[in-house]
Amino acid sequence: MLSLGPLAFVAPWALGAVTFLPALWWLLKVTPPSPRTVRFPAVRLLFGLEAREDSAARTPWWVLALRLALALAIILAVAHPLVHPAQPLARAGEPLAVAVDDGWASARDWAERKAYLDEMLARAERADRPVVLITTAPPADGSPLTSSGLVPAARARALVQALEPKPWAVDRAAAARMVAALPRERSMAAVWLADGLDAGDGEDFARALQSLGGGLEIVTGRTARALLPPDPASPADRLLVTLRRLAGTDDPERVAVRALDAAGKVLGREEVMVAPGQDTATIALRLPTELRNRLTRLDIEGERGAASTVLLDERWRRRPVGLAGGGDPAAAPLLGQLYYVDKALAPHAELHHGEVSELLGRPLAVMVLADLPAVPGSTGERLEAWVRNGGVLVRFAGPALAHAASEARGGAPDPLLPVRPRAGGRSLGGAMSWTAPQGLAPFPESSPFAGLPVPTDVTVAAQVLAEPAIELNERTWARLADGTPLVTGVRLGKGWTVLVHTTANAEWSTLALSGLFPDMLRRLVALADGIAAPGGGDAALPPAELLDGLGRLTAPSGAAATLSDPARAVPGPRNPPGFYGDGAARLAFNLGPRVGTPSGLGAPSGATETRLGERAREIDLRPALLAIALVLAVVDLLAALALRGLLGRRGAAACLALLVAFGIAPSGRAAEADAFAMEAALSTRLAYVRTGDTAVDAKSKAGLAALSRLLAERSTAALAEPMAVSVETDPVLFFPLLYWPVTPGQAPPSAKAAEKLNDYMRRGGLIVFDAADGTEAALPALTAGLAVPPLAPVDEEHVLTRSFYLLKELPGRTAGAPVWVAAADATGTNDGVSPVVVGAADWAGAWAADERGRPLHAVAPGGERQRELAYRFGVNLVMYALTGNYKADQVHLPAIMERLGR
């Protein structure tokens, strides 16, 4: 390769042909044009003519210049010029080792990293250099790290296209051992596309790459960022989220953090300006309690990655809790029964004080009764019905409850107590007294309090005892040191009744003064959603939904294992970040708090270091030169025809044919369009809009393919494989349905494409816009040029709900979002069929399955039942596109049958 500043030539020897251009100029100059054909006159006309010596005609100067330019373009194209070429690390034919950090820290600029790798491997392919591809993150299937071995550069390019970042850290120690095992017959240049972080093994890995003998170049991208979960005890009016920039940076940047619900809708958004040299920043998300309780996810806007995503479980929700009883708190606050309960729950719950009858008039998850006997009359019946419908009733003992137990001795038991209290209490100096206050025993594993540490300074001086019964042991959640129950609980219908056998203040015990008291109350409040001690104890939680390296929730793979110790677990192939547990207990296992504090990666001596995007991208001039040479050749041919006098009527036709051939041949677009139209027209098939996002396009293809197979199984509709469509260049009139996933930053169609799509809708085509993953804001700009009619939500009477299946909801991968179609008064054409269907449910994600029919993505919150409903909606959607509103005509069926009968 010959370099001349920013310009280089891959085959510089071809430039030697430039020296022959003067000789070519001389030959072209003295060579006359071909003789013209002239009708031969009669011989008699030749008599008397004088003979003279004819001289050769000269070639016009502009023809000379044209042909010299043509020759020069061909010479330069053969020399293969490049602008801003990357310097090779080795000679042509020598092997190249490419190491790629594909851990969580590479996700932020993964698209740029793949583009860089593709460009570098394209250069290796031109130089016929074999490549060894080395990845440093453990594989997702849990197998050991392995290299690709020496493969052609074209094969390495295909492997790179399949790479995605992993949601865990790299293992450079294992990668260094793998590099050490590579064969050393020849020296090998190395390029390391690093994530810029060093956990202590970066230098060893760099030395291992240098030992290959061909030099080392380290390329780093943008610094990684991590989002830390907010403290569950954040203030009631806001969530405090911490952003960390790892490895340090001197660049100021504005960062926006979004709060999303399970359907991907943005519930809140806040920005913060991170100053130069600042590594951490705190963002306050202010949300009402109703919205805060819907949160399932926080992420950095415009950035996809496992570390830039925080999943939220029940620990971050503020449930409404009612507090009743305890007397007047204003008289003596520290002596009030509910004072310590209020202080313990205020940071974690939405508290409401009042009488039981008043509290039952508002939506509550938990109700706390402090030293209140059985609630009589209709209020008691309402309270019992509330518990049976899913409420959690927590009752504290006290003198009033103990007295009521004595009065009710031998009578009917209180249905809102988990055990029957014994008449009288137990205290120091009483008939059933202790000689000393009792401490707490460890919590049993079956208790909601399992895993909480038991302080030694908590003592109980008085309690309400429970009558002995067979079920007492299984209903006891906490005991004193002597084995007597301190907390008992039992399921009542869908809810719980819980009794704490001592007071809620410091009158009978020091429990309310300890740090254990708030933790116990939080566990009891968590029972409102059926969660027994999330993250506590040694219970193993199975994987439910897991994050991939780009921050997307996916179904768990076969390598994912149960999570037994969340506090000490390290994200990896066996325990990726995500949601663990089942419908009754789901725990968010986040990557951000577990990334540690790695330092910046430094280049060892002898290695060169560059930054991704710092160097100008390589520009290949060969295609442009070949196109110029082809144009010049056509012009030269036309010039030759003109000089020969052949551009008459027939010559003009030949010139026109050449120009048409030139317009078609270079691009091959007409042939491609014919092949596309032939494939689309010969079989009925669905289509999806190509967005340019590889993951989104793959999901659309897999979803429509699975839906097509399902239609063949459940109906007589036989659909071929779906096709990808470019709205700018491809015809769309062949497809009954066009699925359009909306992605951030998607450019709206041009005026020509918009007119094509409008014509498609006017002629009966159906476009399904799916604005999943919070992209609803991009939909108005995307459809600005389209003739979208006024929309209305789909109701139970719409044909979409009964074109094949009878449906009451139309979910996808998410549920709850409305589905919009053309309003009834806006469908005057196409027999009243809507030309668009608009939703935000990620239908393709729910339909998508692999070749064995296994789902590729998890659905929430309804699981496989929701996926079946999504399939049924897909069938209805295709039937609606194929047959229109024929089901709506069934309203006329009785009249038609009556006429046929007559």
Side-chain angles (χ1 to χ4, degrees):
M1 181 180 289
L2 175 65
S3 297
L4 300 172
L7 184 65
F9 296 91
V10 176
W13 53 267
L15 296 176
V18 176
T19 59
F20 295 99
L21 289 180
L24 179 63
W25 172 81
W26 183 80
L27 289 173
L28 293 173
K29 183 177 180 181
V30 300
T31 302
S34 299
R36 293 181 299 169
T37 302
V38 180
R39 291 182 178 275
F40 189 71
V43 176
R44 61 184 179 84
L45 297 178
L46 299 178
F47 296 145
L49 296 177
E50 297 180 359
R52 65 176 184 270
E53 184 179 355
D54 292 334
S55 60
R58 294 181 177 274
T59 303
W61 67 268
W62 56 270
V63 175
L64 286 175
L66 178 66
R67 292 175 178 174
L68 289 177
L70 172 60
L72 182 61
I74 295 174
I75 292 171
L76 292 177
V78 173
H80 200 166
L82 303 171
V83 179
H84 302 300
Q87 297 299 322
L89 290 173
R91 295 186 298 273
E94 290 193 352
L96 174 68
V98 179
V100 182
D101 282 343
D102 56 339
W104 65 266
S106 303
R108 182 181 178 188
D109 52 0
W110 186 250
E112 292 88 343
R113 290 171 180 269
K114 288 185 71 172
Y116 171 81
L117 288 172
D118 187 72
E119 179 184 319
M120 179 180 62
L121 293 174
R123 298 197 309 268
E125 187 177 0
R126 288 196 301 265
D128 195 24
R129 300 176 62 183
V131 174
V132 175
L133 184 62
I134 302 165
T135 56
T136 60
D141 59 4
S143 60
L145 278 172
T146 56
S147 69
S148 66
L150 271 177
V151 296
R155 170 62 178 160
R157 291 180 73 181
L159 294 176
V160 164
Q161 291 304 315
L163 281 181
E164 281 197 349
K166 312 295 191 304
W168 48 78
V170 298
D171 186 359
R172 294 193 184 122
R177 293 191 295 269
M178 182 176 60
V179 172
L182 293 176
R184 306 299 175 98
E185 288 83 3
R186 291 183 291 173
S187 62
M188 196 180 302
V191 176
W192 177 14
L193 184 55
D195 58 21
L197 304 182
D198 186 5
D201 49 10
E203 186 174 354
D204 293 339
F205 183 59
R207 297 295 183 194
L209 292 174
Q210 284 181 316
S211 68
L212 296 175
L216 172 63
E217 179 183 4
I218 301 177
V219 182
T220 57
R222 288 183 288 176
T223 180
R225 301 188 294 197
L227 205 60
L228 303 184
D231 187 349
S234 293
D237 60 339
R238 62 190 183 276
L239 283 174
L240 300 179
V241 186
T242 301
L243 170 75
R244 290 179 56 202
R245 297 198 298 184
L246 303 173
T249 179
D250 292 331
D251 300 328
E253 57 182 343
R254 182 172 295 278
V255 182
V257 174
R258 305 184 306 169
L260 300 95
D261 64 5
K265 296 184 180 298
V266 179
L267 303 180
R269 180 183 181 276
E270 292 291 341
E271 291 187 359
V272 64
M273 187 66 188
V274 187
Q278 183 181 354
D279 294 334
T280 62
T282 301
I283 302 100
L285 287 166
R286 301 181 182 274
L287 296 169
T289 301
E290 291 78 8
L291 293 182
R292 175 169 171 170
N293 289 341
R294 289 172 51 190
L295 286 183
T296 60
R297 179 187 182 110
L298 305 174
D299 63 21
I300 300 175
E301 187 176 63
E303 181 175 334
R304 299 193 300 172
S308 59
T309 299
V310 168
L311 301 177
L312 304 177
D313 55 31
E314 303 300 328
R315 291 171 290 175
W316 284 276
R317 293 191 176 154
R318 296 177 61 86
R319 295 177 183 80
V321 176
L323 305 180
D328 184 9
L334 296 179
L335 300 179
Q337 290 281 354
L338 292 174
Y339 176 80
Y340 297 100
V341 176
D342 187 300
K343 296 300 181 183
L345 290 180
H348 316 290
E350 179 185 353
L351 301 182
H352 303 279
H353 293 263
E355 298 296 330
V356 174
S357 58
E358 176 187 350
L359 293 174
L360 287 174
R362 63 168 63 244
L364 292 178
V366 180
M367 186 178 295
V368 180
L369 304 184
D371 194 21
L372 284 181
V375 181
S378 61
T379 302
E381 294 174 359
R382 291 173 58 201
L383 181 60
E384 182 176 355
W386 173 80
V387 174
R388 291 186 181 276
N389 287 330
V392 176
L393 178 63
V394 180
R395 301 179 67 175
F396 283 87
L401 184 63
H403 178 72
S406 300
E407 293 292 329
R409 186 173 184 180
D414 187 344
L416 297 179
L417 286 176
V419 296
R420 183 164 185 161
R422 183 180 295 181
R426 184 179 184 187
S427 61
L428 291 176
M432 294 183 296
S433 63
W434 296 305
T435 58
Q438 292 290 307
L440 303 185
F443 298 113
E445 293 185 0
S446 59
S447 168
F449 311 128
L452 293 179
V454 178
T456 58
D457 57 345
V458 174
T459 58
V460 177
Q463 67 175 143
V464 170
L465 293 173
E467 289 284 359
I470 297 176
E471 67 275 4
L472 178 60
N473 185 59
E474 66 181 33
R475 296 184 181 184
T476 301
W477 293 353
R479 301 178 186 273
L480 297 180
D482 64 352
T484 54
L486 177 64
V487 181
T488 53
V490 69
R491 172 76 75 173
L492 182 62
K494 297 180 181 179
W496 295 89
T497 61
V498 181
L499 175 62
V500 182
H501 291 244
T502 189
T503 56
N505 58 11
E507 184 178 354
W508 284 9
S509 73
T510 61
L511 177 62
L513 305 177
S514 68
L516 176 64
F517 191 61
D519 294 335
M520 292 178 66
L521 289 178
R522 286 177 59 191
R523 294 287 181 91
L524 292 176
V525 171
L527 290 174
D529 284 346
I531 297 175
D538 297 326
L541 300 174
E545 291 183 283
L546 303 178
L547 285 175
D548 65 7
L550 295 175
R552 301 170 299 200
L553 280 172
T554 61
S557 64
T562 57
L563 186 67
S564 58
D565 190 357
R568 290 191 288 271
V570 177
R574 290 185 58 80
N575 290 130
F579 285 117
Y580 286 79
D582 51 25
R586 203 163 74 147
L587 174 75
F589 182 56
N590 288 300
L591 176 64
R594 295 167 174 84
V595 299
T597 54
S599 59
L601 182 69
S605 59
T608 59
E609 185 175 13
T610 57
R611 289 195 59 81
L612 196 63
E614 188 177 73
R615 185 169 47 204
R617 292 198 63 180
E618 181 180 277
I619 302 174
D620 191 351
L621 297 181
R622 175 187 271 184
L625 289 170
L626 290 176
I628 292 172
L630 185 59
V631 171
L632 293 177
V634 173
V635 174
D636 179 72
L637 177 61
L638 297 178
L641 293 175
L643 291 175
R644 294 179 184 180
L646 297 179
L647 283 183
R649 184 173 299 174
R650 288 179 299 174
C655 178
L656 179 61
L658 286 173
L659 289 176
V660 171
F662 171 72
I664 295 175
S667 65
R669 182 59 200 170
E672 293 178 8
D674 289 343
F676 181 94
M678 186 71 68
E679 185 179 3
L682 291 180
S683 300
T684 303
R685 64 182 77 229
L686 308 178
Y688 62 93
V689 173
R690 187 186 296 113
T691 65
D693 188 317
T694 305
V696 173
D697 293 344
K699 180 172 65 175
S700 300
K701 180 179 180 180
L704 295 184
L707 181 60
S708 300
R709 293 192 295 267
L710 185 75
L711 278 160
E713 296 172 1
R714 302 188 181 184
S715 71
T716 58
L719 302 182
E721 285 292 309
M723 293 180 63
V725 169
S726 169
V727 296
E728 297 292 337
T729 57
D730 294 331
V732 296
L733 72 161
F734 304 105
F735 307 104
L737 183 147
L738 187 61
Y739 181 79
W740 193 327
V742 181
T743 58
Q746 197 175 71
S750 63
K752 183 178 179 180
E755 181 56 35
K756 176 175 64 176
L757 292 171
N758 290 335
D759 184 64
Y760 170 74
M761 291 188 287
R762 282 193 298 270
R763 296 176 184 273
L766 175 63
I767 302 179
V768 180
F769 291 98
D770 194 349
D773 299 328
T775 57
E776 297 95 329
L779 193 56
L782 190 65
T783 59
L786 302 182
V788 177
L791 302 179
V794 173
D795 55 24
E796 294 183 357
E797 299 301 321
H798 196 274
V799 183
L800 263 178
T801 64
R802 49 195 169 95
S803 59
F804 195 87
Y805 289 103
L806 295 177
L807 299 175
K808 293 184 178 180
E809 52 182 322
L810 312 176
R813 192 177 173 193
T814 60
V819 179
W820 301 81
V821 293
D825 56 354
T827 54
T829 60
N830 297 328
D831 201 20
V833 177
S834 174
V836 295
V837 174
V838 182
D842 192 6
W843 290 302
W847 301 332
D850 61 13
E851 63 279 359
R852 297 184 181 179
R854 296 174 299 188
L856 296 179
H857 305 283
V859 294
E864 293 309 309
R865 172 60 181 169
Q866 180 176 322
R867 190 188 305 278
E868 174 60 25
L869 292 177
Y871 280 137
R872 294 183 181 185
F873 168 67
V875 174
N876 280 19
L877 189 65
V878 176
M879 290 299 178
Y880 183 64
L882 292 175
T883 63
N885 67 346
Y886 83 100
K887 278 293 182 76
D889 292 335
Q890 289 186 346
V891 69
H892 306 297
L893 185 61
I896 294 173
M897 297 301 293
E898 182 180 353
R899 292 184 62 182
L900 290 176
R902 292 200 301 265

